[in-house]
């Protein structure tokens, strides 16, 4: 019988959690997975929610189980699998039936899929929050035609995280706007994680703190201005013990970070947009560098181990906390700056304050600061977030701690790529007269590219001689 409100294709970790969330919110959901056993097992394990879930064995069965006009969420790996799934599904659907790609798609692919869909309904939505978010309330960033979003908004809002009762599910704009915003979310996620890892490195190698002490520090910071999901889980990661060896978990994990590519997409796009996001770029570079373990070991053998250890009075934990506060503001400011540039470049009118609001709960970068960021962007969406009064005041209070941290780390041979990029961005952004006049002189010298003069006029050339 065609009773299900919505379908879910793909019962991997995220798809299964999302389907349970939909059922848990009172919607009947039909599910299909490439391997039928997985569908069966998912249904058997669904407990009380099983009565709201229709397991199907074929795509035809899935389509037949859905109320018209149909809406089907794809939760399959980003890339070719999405195109294959759309190709298999479209011929079975009616003209009003909608496909919703909820994976981590590259927004250029979503733009193309919207084009290819033509008049057939298609949405690309970014879903953040990992497995737990998908199950109990993710943050959802929608893209595609507004009328299509409106058709399923009641379901997406119901399953999303809530902030003071307000759903963290918002339509961001046409085409791939939702997946674009999700990519920038992930760029900020990379930078936030990297900055935390850098501060962890100072505590471990500079201040010789135990994992327990590091865990306690993160737990303490999680009660202050840094309160956020990533600080919370960093404390929990630092506190965990390996059951096999009894050692701290952090000491048994290899120091090479994986990546599925979303951070890299953000950085590539930022370059196309000429949007300065140095802390995010540094974080992606740091992940790439982390995987060069043999080369790093060879470097240590060749150049010797850096001094690393700092006398205790060199940097206090309060200074480190402040450095992280400054770094965090700067990386979010860069991310929002990039969104603003894309909004103009792609003609999307991306709702910056609503983006900050949708990130307040459910997603990986959720943090106490996002509420104030939403207010600051609501006051003035065109102003760099670091210049908004609340954040300007915080930066005024904390940038010297960031400076001290970066300087001491440099003196002790501890690499802080994201924090030092954040500091360089801050200093560049408060320097009215920079040094690009030298670049312009050089360009004119070797290529007669011309320059603007301080006393007026474009296209001048220098008296360089030959
Ligand atoms: C989220 C996460 C999620 C996932 C990404 C990033 O918002 O829920 O960003 O989408 O963690 O795949 O993973 P990588 O670190 O592998 O790029």
């Amino acid at each position: 019988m065609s009773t299900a409100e919505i379908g879910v294709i793909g019962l991997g970790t995220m798809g299964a959690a999302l389907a349970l969330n939909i059922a848990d919110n009172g919607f009947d959901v039909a599910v299909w997975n490439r391997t039928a056993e997985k569908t069966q097992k998912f249904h058997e394990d669904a407990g009380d929610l099983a009565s709201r879930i229709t397991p199907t064995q074929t795509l035809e069965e899935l389509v037949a189980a859905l109320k018209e006009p149909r809406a089907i969420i794809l939760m399959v790996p980003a890339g070719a699998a999405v195109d294959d799934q759309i190709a298999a599904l479209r011929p079975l659907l009616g003209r009003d039936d909608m496909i919703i790609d909820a994976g981590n798609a590259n927004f250029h692919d979503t733009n193309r899929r919207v084009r290819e869909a033509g008049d057939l309904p298609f949405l690309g939505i970014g879903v953040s929050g990992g497995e737990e978010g998908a199950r109990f309330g993710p943050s959802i960033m929608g893209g595609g035609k507004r009328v299509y979003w409106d058709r399923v908004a009641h379901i997406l809002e119901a399953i999303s995280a809530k902030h003071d009762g307000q759903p963290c599910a918002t339509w961001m704009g046409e085409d791939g706007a939702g997946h674009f915003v999700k990519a920038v979310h992930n760029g900020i996620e990379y930078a936030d994680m990297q900055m935390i890892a850098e501060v962890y490195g100072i505590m471990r190698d500079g201040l010789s703190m135990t994992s327990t002490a590091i865990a306690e520090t993160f737990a303490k910071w999680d009660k202050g201005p840094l309160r956020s999901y990533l600080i919370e889980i960093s404390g929990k990661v630092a506190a965990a013990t390996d059951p096999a060896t009894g050692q701290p978990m952090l000491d048994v994990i290899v120091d090479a970070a994986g990546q599925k590519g979303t951070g890299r997409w953000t950085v590539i796009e930022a370059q196309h947009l000429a949007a300065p996001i140095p802390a995010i770029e540094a974080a992606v570079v740091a992940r790439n560098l982390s995987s060069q373990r043999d080369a790093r070991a060879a470097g240590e053998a060749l150049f010797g181990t850096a001094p690393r250890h700092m006398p205790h009075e060199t940097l206090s934990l309060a200074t480190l906390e402040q450095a992280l506060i400054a770094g965090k503001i700067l990386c979010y400011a860069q991310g929002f700056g990039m969104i603003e540039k894309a909004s103009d470049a792609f003609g999307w009118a991306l709702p910056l304050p609503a983006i900050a609001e949708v990130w307040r709960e459910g997603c990986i970068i959720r943090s106490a600061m996002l509420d104030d960021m939403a207010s600051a962007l609501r006051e003035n969406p065109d102003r760099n977030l670091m210049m908004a009064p609340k954040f300007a005041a915080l930066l005024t209070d904390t940038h010297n701690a960031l400076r001290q941290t970066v300087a001491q780390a440099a003196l002790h041979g501890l690499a802080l790529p994201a924090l030092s990029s954040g500091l360089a961005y801050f200093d560049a952004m408060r320097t009215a007269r920079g040094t690009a006049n030298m670049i312009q002189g050089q360009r004119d010298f070797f290529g007669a590219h011309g320059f603007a003069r301080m006393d007026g006029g474009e296209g001048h050339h220098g008296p360089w001689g030959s």
Side-chain angles (χ1 to χ4, degrees), residues 14 36 59 70 81 94 149 188 235 245 276 290 300 314 322 346 371 393 396 408 411 436 445 449:
M14 292 293 283
L59 283 178
R70 302 175 182 90
W149 169 264
I188 296 173
T245 61
S290 77
E300 184 163 330
T314 317
Q322 292 203 334
F346 304 137
D371 206 23
T396 303
Q408 287 302 334
L411 289 171
F445 190 105
H449 293 292

Side-chain angles (χ1 to χ4, degrees), residues 10-26:
L11 294 173
T13 312
M14 292 293 283
L18 208 65
L20 290 174
N21 185 357
I22 293 170
D24 214 2
N25 275 284

Side-chain angles (χ1 to χ4, degrees), residues 124-182:
I125 64 170
V127 176
S128 176
E131 182 181 4
E132 199 186 313
R135 175 64 185 87
F136 298 107
S139 166
I140 300 178
M141 295 144 260
K145 281 206 171 66
R146 177 74 205 223
V147 281
Y148 302 150
W149 169 264
D150 289 342
R151 254 175 59 184
V152 286
H154 65 291
I155 301 178
L156 299 177
E157 286 171 0
I159 65 167
S160 75
K162 310 288 178 300
H163 179 88
D164 287 343
Q166 199 183 325
C168 294
T170 298
W171 179 75
M172 299 295 167
E174 301 273 321
D175 308 323
H179 279 136
F180 173 81
V181 173
K182 175 62 169 58

Side-chain angles (χ1 to χ4, degrees), residues 104 128-130 182 185-186 189-190 258-262 287 364:
N104 257 338
S128 176
K182 175 62 169 58
H185 165 283
N186 280 32
E189 173 185 305
Y190 274 47
Q259 54 181 318
K260 295 208 191 80
T262 45
R287 284 211 194 180
I364 302 297

Side-chain angles (χ1 to χ4, degrees), residues 452-466:
R453 289 180 59 98
M454 295 293 284
D455 51 8
E458 301 276 334
H460 292 282
H461 294 286
W464 315 125
S466 52

Side-chain angles (χ1 to χ4, degrees), residues 102-287:
N104 257 338
N106 184 321
F107 82 99
H108 288 296
D109 285 338
T110 308
N111 285 346
R112 170 180 56 77
R113 288 173 189 136
V114 168
R115 267 198 316 276
E116 287 169 357
D119 292 338
L120 303 173
F122 183 84
L123 285 178
I125 64 170
V127 176
S128 176
E131 182 181 4
E132 199 186 313
R135 175 64 185 87
F136 298 107
S139 166
I140 300 178
M141 295 144 260
K145 281 206 171 66
R146 177 74 205 223
V147 281
Y148 302 150
W149 169 264
D150 289 342
R151 254 175 59 184
V152 286
H154 65 291
I155 301 178
L156 299 177
E157 286 171 0
I159 65 167
S160 75
K162 310 288 178 300
H163 179 88
D164 287 343
Q166 199 183 325
C168 294
T170 298
W171 179 75
M172 299 295 167
E174 301 273 321
D175 308 323
H179 279 136
F180 173 81
V181 173
K182 175 62 169 58
V184 179
H185 165 283
N186 280 32
I188 296 173
E189 173 185 305
Y190 274 47
D192 209 342
M193 291 167 76
Q194 175 63 26
M195 286 180 178
I196 294 172
E198 289 173 11
V199 167
Y200 152 70
I202 295 176
M203 291 196 271
R204 184 191 68 182
D205 301 330
L207 304 176
S208 307
M209 288 167 62
T210 62
S211 290
T212 309
I214 293 171
E216 284 165 7
T217 304
F218 283 131
K220 189 166 163 230
W221 290 353
D222 196 35
K223 296 191 171 68
L226 285 173
R227 186 162 62 80
S228 60
Y229 174 70
L230 284 171
I231 288 285
E232 178 196 334
I233 65 164
S234 302
K236 289 181 177 166
V237 168
T241 303
D242 176 30
T245 61
Q247 286 180 274
M249 270 316 296
L250 276 172
D251 293 350
V252 300
I253 300 176
V254 171
D255 57 330
Q259 54 181 318
K260 295 208 191 80
T262 45
R264 187 181 302 139
W265 296 340
T266 310
V267 168
I268 291 169
E269 207 50 43
Q271 291 293 346
H272 285 304
L273 291 164
I277 55 162
I280 296 172
E281 283 173 4
V284 175
V285 171
R287 284 211 194 180

